[in-house]
Amino acid sequence: MLKSLEAIELYRQGKLDSLKDIVWLKYIAEAEEQIVNLERVDSLQELRNHNPVLQYVERSLKVLDGLAVSYWIKDLVEETLVWSETAKGGTLRQRHRWQEEGINCFVHNVGSAQLYRRHLVSKTWSDEMDSVPQDHTRDMSEYKTFNDSEPEDESYNEGALASVGRMADELNGAIDIYPARFTLVHRLIGTHGLIGQQIRGEVPSSANLPLYDIVQEGLLSPEELERLLLTLNQCIIGAVSKDLWENVRQEVQELVTTICSGMLYEDWSMQERLRRMRSGPIARGEDFEGEWLRLEKEAFCTSRLELLKGITFWYVESALQTFSFEQFAKIMLLAAGSGEIEALNHISFEPVMNSIYYDYKGIKKINVYKKRIIEKYLTGLKWEELASGTAAFGNPHLSHCLYRKAHLPDTVFFEFNFSPAAEKLIEFCIEAEKSALYERAVLMLFDLFELRRDAFDRFHNEDVYLSQMNGTADYKAVILEHITGSKVLDIGPGGGVLLDLLEERMPGITPVGIDISSNVIEALQQRKQREGRRWEVLQGDALNLKHFVEAGSVDTVIFSSILHELYSYVPLNGVKFNHDTVAAALRSAFDVLSPGGAIIIRDGIMTEPVTDLRRVRFLEADGMKWLERYAKDFQGRMIQYEQLDEHEVHMPVNDAMEFLYTYTWGAEAYVHEVQEQFGYFTPSAYAEFIGRTLGEEATIEVLRHYLQEGYTEALQDRVTVMDENGAVVALPDSTCFIVIRKTG
């Protein structure tokens, strides 16, 4: 086992005396501030109870320990690995002192190299160095002769190795008799991780050229350097993920060969570097090239990005991967406007990364409240302003900021600053999740930033929601029987299940999904690219379709389980739960329909007669409390009920069903479902409303209603529904299906 691994094991056993002489371990073990890339972290809470930096170093050493490589390579790599994360360690007081002394604690490879050099200099080594030969080439040759003639199975000369080990131990592991060793380790620490970062586009190609100086200075031959760098990078990347190493191994090999050969090559263009920085979104289906061309047509000033060509970017993927490419490009242009860009070496997005995540039920989640607000902020920035570097702040409660820290003249930090009021309100939203206060908290946030609730879908269960929408294909297949013409709009396409059905079963039509949520559109665009779909998606407002598609150009408009959301969430003339909103959506669809076109509605329905009553007996101990909470929280109308005993109530049939629609989904979805009214018309009222709204040009061809499959099964062990006399009865119809034809 490597000596460094033995030292870590002693530390874990509580033998803290071992820290006294092992400086690198002392620095890492005393870390009071978590400085870690959150990209691969699952829970922020766990970070408070663990030392992720020490765990990473230990994993990298275990990778090294399992490799069959020469002693001199293993020795150099071990020394490099144990010191390369030290700038992330130290107590807060110690880190503050380091910064005052010029140690770069924010660019960890640079800072760690500085700490390593300072550690060596601090030792009393003048007597030993008096006898050190200054021919570095000869030094390393002698150092390597112990092993280079031996096979890679480590069947080396034990006596020679012991001699080298004794020399190192005598000088406390810090000062060898070979100064070239320290030069090599210092250089390797200073470039630690940069090969992987170059592959990710985060550093310019020239960042790794100092490694070739090792060959130029005669410290190692190109072949020796190549073996050394491949081993080191296998440890660095393999400690993150074995699969990741296998995925990038060939590219690392090619890059290392290029570096070691000293071949001249130009830095990648910023377009290529940004493409590599977007590897995550591209893997999920982002059409990078298509988006780049689209933005160029919209006056995206790509030439301004060249100002960033020599810059190293930190924490880009973890901070910005969930933003769309357009938003990402705007952030990069904001960074290019940092001023005196030619004097910079680093731009760090660590402040964005640290603020964009939080723990939701023990799982790391994007702070969607902040993210949506940032998205709106970026949407308001004009390309012309970004090109000139004069982008103005668009909201008094949010701004972007580029700042430097003392003693770091070559580094700029990028951050989004929320006002104190906004920060407190976002904290309130987080605290209010899963409580009756949630709706009020979110509405205040929307008001502060002039946001529309329906543009956000559901905050934390959006993935689950889209998955559930994708699971309703059987219910939606009936819609296909009534499709007219060749151009079909699906309003609120969710996860795209209906778009898929239209494409697969009706190849002659052009399906187009329209949603106001930028995140839904982005997810669909990525899936389209990933799966090679031919349907289209547009970001647009269901109440103003003629602003997004030409009037009279659409043959069918589909509202599949979306009108009740518009009714519940979109305030028309300041009023939510408004039939006028449904009327506006129907007129909007009618305006873009061609003569003979159709509107298809699948949505909630109220039962008739509305005067019917039901007795509901709860089979769960807390059922009555859920009804009491629902009646208090629901804003669509007053929910009436008469409590008969601790488990049974008497209530109007439609009030009972409206409650049960939410009760069915369970506690996880409650705060979202309680905001929606699923049934908003009876069948006869719906027919009368359509005639009044659309006039004589509209003909109702189909109007039927039914109980949606699944409700009975979901509720059978939770409630018993009875008539007024106590006889068990079936649930009433929940869903309507309507086809409206535009005559002409």
Side-chain angles (χ1 to χ4, degrees):
M1 180 185 289
L2 297 173
K3 289 186 177 181
S4 51
L5 285 173
E6 292 176 351
I8 293 173
E9 181 62 28
L10 289 173
Y11 164 71
R12 294 199 186 284
Q13 293 173 4
K15 299 177 181 179
L16 303 183
D17 289 344
S18 62
L19 294 179
K20 182 175 62 175
D21 298 324
I22 307 175
V23 177
W24 62 266
L25 182 55
K26 183 174 185 293
Y27 286 162
I28 297 174
E30 290 180 346
E32 293 179 346
E33 183 178 353
Q34 296 290 4
I35 302 174
V36 60
N37 191 327
L38 298 180
E39 183 180 346
R40 296 178 181 272
V41 172
D42 294 323
S43 171
L44 301 184
Q45 182 63 42
E46 291 180 3
L47 292 180
R48 302 184 182 100
N49 305 319
H50 297 86
N51 187 326
V53 175
L54 180 58
Q55 290 171 337
Y56 170 76
V57 171
E58 186 177 22
R59 290 196 305 272
S60 68
L61 290 168
K62 286 181 177 179
V63 174
L64 177 62
D65 200 36
L67 297 179
V69 295
S70 300
Y71 169 79
W72 70 271
I73 291 179
K74 186 165 285 192
D75 176 61
L76 291 173
V77 171
E78 181 179 13
E79 183 87 343
T80 300
L81 292 176
V82 299
W83 277 94
S84 289
E85 304 288 330
T86 51
K88 296 179 180 179
T91 65
L92 293 177
R93 183 175 180 179
Q94 190 173 38
R95 291 178 64 78
H96 181 69
R97 186 172 67 250
W98 285 349
Q99 292 170 49
E100 289 181 340
E101 295 169 353
I103 301 297
N104 193 330
C105 294
F106 304 96
V107 180
H108 74 272
N109 58 310
V110 174
S112 296
Q114 291 171 322
L115 287 173
Y116 180 69
R117 177 182 288 277
R118 194 182 72 165
H119 169 66
L120 295 178
V121 170
S122 69
K123 294 291 184 179
T124 305
W125 54 285
S126 57
D127 292 340
E128 289 83 357
M129 292 303 293
D130 286 341
S131 61
V132 170
Q134 297 304 306
D135 183 345
H136 288 241
T137 304
R138 184 166 63 85
D139 293 345
M140 285 309 299
S141 296
E142 294 174 358
Y143 178 53
K144 298 194 298 296
T145 52
F146 293 117
N147 249 93
D148 280 358
S149 61
E150 301 297 331
E152 290 293 315
D153 63 359
E154 296 192 85
S155 55
Y156 40 73
N157 185 310
E158 296 288 348
L161 283 180
S163 175
V164 173
R166 282 194 302 273
M167 287 187 288
D169 290 342
E170 287 170 359
L171 296 174
N172 205 24
I175 300 176
D176 207 316
I177 63 168
Y178 300 111
R181 176 178 183 272
F182 305 130
T183 301
L184 276 169
V185 172
H186 183 265
R187 190 81 49 84
L188 294 173
I189 295 172
T191 55
H192 178 268
L194 296 189
I195 286 177
Q197 285 182 267
Q198 182 177 336
I199 290 172
R200 289 160 60 105
E202 295 168 343
V203 304
S205 306
S206 54
N208 281 307
L209 287 179
L211 288 170
Y212 182 64
D213 291 342
I214 292 172
V215 175
Q216 292 289 80
E217 294 167 15
L219 297 175
L220 294 175
S221 69
E223 295 75 20
E224 291 167 338
L225 179 59
E226 184 170 340
R227 290 164 56 197
L228 176 62
L229 292 180
L230 283 175
T231 300
L232 178 59
N233 280 275
Q234 182 173 356
C235 297
I236 293 170
I237 300 172
V240 175
S241 163
K242 182 178 180 181
D243 290 340
L244 178 62
W245 167 247
E246 293 303 325
N247 289 337
V248 302
R249 185 173 192 160
Q250 183 59 38
E251 195 165 6
V252 170
Q253 172 72 70
E254 293 171 359
L255 186 53
V256 165
T257 299
T258 300
I259 291 170
C260 295
S261 68
M263 290 187 297
L264 297 177
Y265 59 101
E266 295 183 359
D267 280 337
W268 287 325
S269 68
M270 281 306 298
Q271 181 176 358
E272 173 61 16
R273 288 186 63 190
L274 262 60
R275 185 186 69 78
R276 288 173 173 268
M277 289 185 216
R278 299 294 290 177
S279 59
I282 290 171
R284 294 190 294 272
E286 178 176 275
D287 181 7
F288 178 87
E289 283 73 19
E291 284 294 288
W292 184 279
L293 292 173
R294 180 181 69 82
L295 295 185
E296 280 188 321
K297 294 177 182 177
E298 295 181 5
F300 172 31
C301 185
T302 57
S303 60
R304 187 168 180 81
L305 288 176
E306 294 303 312
L307 294 172
L308 303 172
K309 196 170 183 179
I311 299 294
T312 294
F313 298 99
W314 295 91
Y315 303 105
V316 174
E317 182 79 2
S318 53
L320 306 179
Q321 64 175 320
T322 63
F323 289 96
S324 71
F325 177 69
E326 179 174 342
Q327 295 155 0
F328 175 80
K330 287 185 174 182
I331 291 172
M332 284 296 170
L333 287 178
L334 290 175
S338 57
E340 301 179 9
I341 197 78
E342 66 280 353
L344 291 180
N345 290 324
H346 309 279
I347 296 178
S348 174
F349 293 94
E350 185 181 7
V352 178
M353 176 189 71
N354 288 334
S355 69
I356 206 70
Y357 294 105
Y358 79 111
D359 261 326
Y360 176 75
K361 297 179 67 177
I363 300 173
K364 182 194 73 176
K365 287 281 189 179
I366 289 288
N367 189 324
V368 73
Y369 309 101
K370 287 188 173 183
K371 182 172 180 285
R372 298 293 198 263
I373 294 164
I374 292 171
E375 288 169 344
K376 185 174 189 294
Y377 175 79
L378 294 170
T379 300
L381 298 178
K382 307 300 181 185
W383 291 115
E384 295 78 9
E385 298 172 339
L386 291 164
S388 62
T390 59
F393 302 142
N395 190 294
H397 296 287
L398 177 63
S399 62
H400 68 274
C401 176
L402 293 135
Y403 61 92
R404 304 188 188 214
K405 294 179 183 285
H407 315 300
L408 294 176
D410 68 340
T411 304
V412 158
F413 295 82
F414 187 101
E415 187 171 18
F416 288 106
N417 285 329
F418 290 82
S419 70
E423 287 282 5
K424 291 296 182 184
L425 189 49
I426 290 169
E427 290 177 15
F428 179 43
C429 287
I430 293 172
E431 290 299 320
E433 288 169 353
K434 299 191 176 306
S435 77
L437 293 172
Y438 181 77
E439 167 74 352
R440 300 176 208 173
V442 170
L443 286 177
M444 285 192 290
L445 189 69
F446 295 161
D447 289 342
L448 187 67
F449 289 95
E450 300 177 349
L451 303 169
R452 270 184 58 170
R453 168 62 181 87
D454 61 322
F456 292 79
D457 296 307
R458 299 134 196 271
F459 280 126
H460 296 294
N461 68 336
E462 183 170 317
D463 292 341
V464 175
Y465 173 70
L466 293 180
S467 175
Q468 290 166 342
M469 291 301 99
N470 279 341
T472 61
D474 290 342
Y475 301 124
K476 293 184 175 182
V478 69
I479 292 173
L480 275 61
E481 299 173 13
H482 299 274
I483 297 294
T484 295
S486 60
K487 186 171 183 179
V488 179
L489 296 188
D490 178 17
I491 309 300
V497 62
L498 186 53
L499 294 174
D500 291 344
L501 286 172
L502 291 167
E503 176 182 310
E504 293 163 4
R505 302 188 188 182
M506 305 185 75
I509 72 166
T510 303
V512 180
I514 292 187
D515 203 294
I516 198 169
S517 169
S518 61
N519 295 81
V520 168
I521 295 301
E522 181 184 356
L524 286 171
Q525 286 174 331
Q526 290 183 0
R527 189 163 78 80
K528 175 188 175 182
Q529 176 75 7
R530 190 168 63 244
E531 298 177 7
R533 296 287 180 176
R534 61 176 178 82
W535 40 252
E536 300 292 338
V537 287
L538 295 172
Q539 186 174 1
D541 187 349
L543 305 189
N544 295 284
L545 290 175
K546 62 185 178 182
H547 292 166
F548 308 98
V549 293
E550 184 180 350
S553 67
V554 178
D555 301 306
T556 305
V557 179
I558 302 169
F559 293 99
S560 181
S561 200
I562 195 69
L563 284 175
H564 77 276
E565 295 197 357
L566 298 177
Y567 171 79
S568 302
Y569 292 131
V570 180
L572 201 64
N573 301 321
V575 180
K576 294 197 308 177
F577 300 101
N578 192 343
H579 289 131
D580 289 344
T581 304
V582 180
L586 293 180
R587 283 194 293 266
S588 172
F590 215 63
D591 286 343
V592 300
L593 274 185
S594 60
I599 296 174
I600 300 175
I601 300 169
R602 175 185 173 274
D603 213 357
I605 198 73
M606 299 171 76
T607 193
E608 295 176 307
V610 296
T611 54
D612 279 359
L613 298 173
R614 291 289 184 268
R615 292 169 66 176
V616 178
R617 171 162 285 275
F618 292 103
L619 305 179
E620 296 175 318
D622 61 349
M624 188 67 72
K625 292 182 179 179
W626 277 107
L627 176 58
E628 292 170 355
R629 179 182 177 187
Y630 179 82
K632 181 180 178 181
D633 295 344
F634 182 62
Q635 301 297 312
R637 65 175 184 270
M638 180 176 291
I639 298 297
Q640 303 177 53
Y641 66 94
E642 176 190 359
Q643 187 168 345
L644 302 178
D645 59 38
E646 61 179 335
H647 295 297
E648 191 170 319
V649 294
H650 199 208
M651 58 195 306
V653 61
N654 286 310
D655 286 356
M657 283 303 294
E658 199 62 53
F659 163 67
L660 291 176
Y661 292 140
T662 295
Y663 189 60
T664 303
W665 286 89
E668 177 71 18
Y670 175 82
V671 293
H672 307 290
E673 296 300 328
V674 74
Q675 300 173 56
E676 300 180 7
Q677 182 170 324
F678 190 53
Y680 49 94
F681 281 125
T682 62
S684 60
Y686 219 145
E688 188 276 330
F689 174 80
I690 291 169
R692 186 174 71 251
T693 300
L694 301 180
E696 296 181 356
E697 281 191 283
T699 300
I700 299 177
E701 290 189 350
V702 178
L703 198 168
R704 62 175 181 261
H705 41 91
Y706 54 92
L707 176 63
Q708 182 171 312
E709 184 180 346
Y711 279 126
T712 299
E713 292 75 12
L715 290 168
Q716 63 185 2
D717 296 326
R718 306 183 70 192
V719 296
T720 299
V721 179
M722 301 165 283
D723 64 16
E724 294 181 72
N725 299 317
V728 176
V729 294
L731 297 175
D733 290 346
S734 63
T735 307
C736 67
F737 186 82
I738 305 173
V739 179
I740 307 166
R741 184 74 59 190
K742 182 176 184 179
T743 60

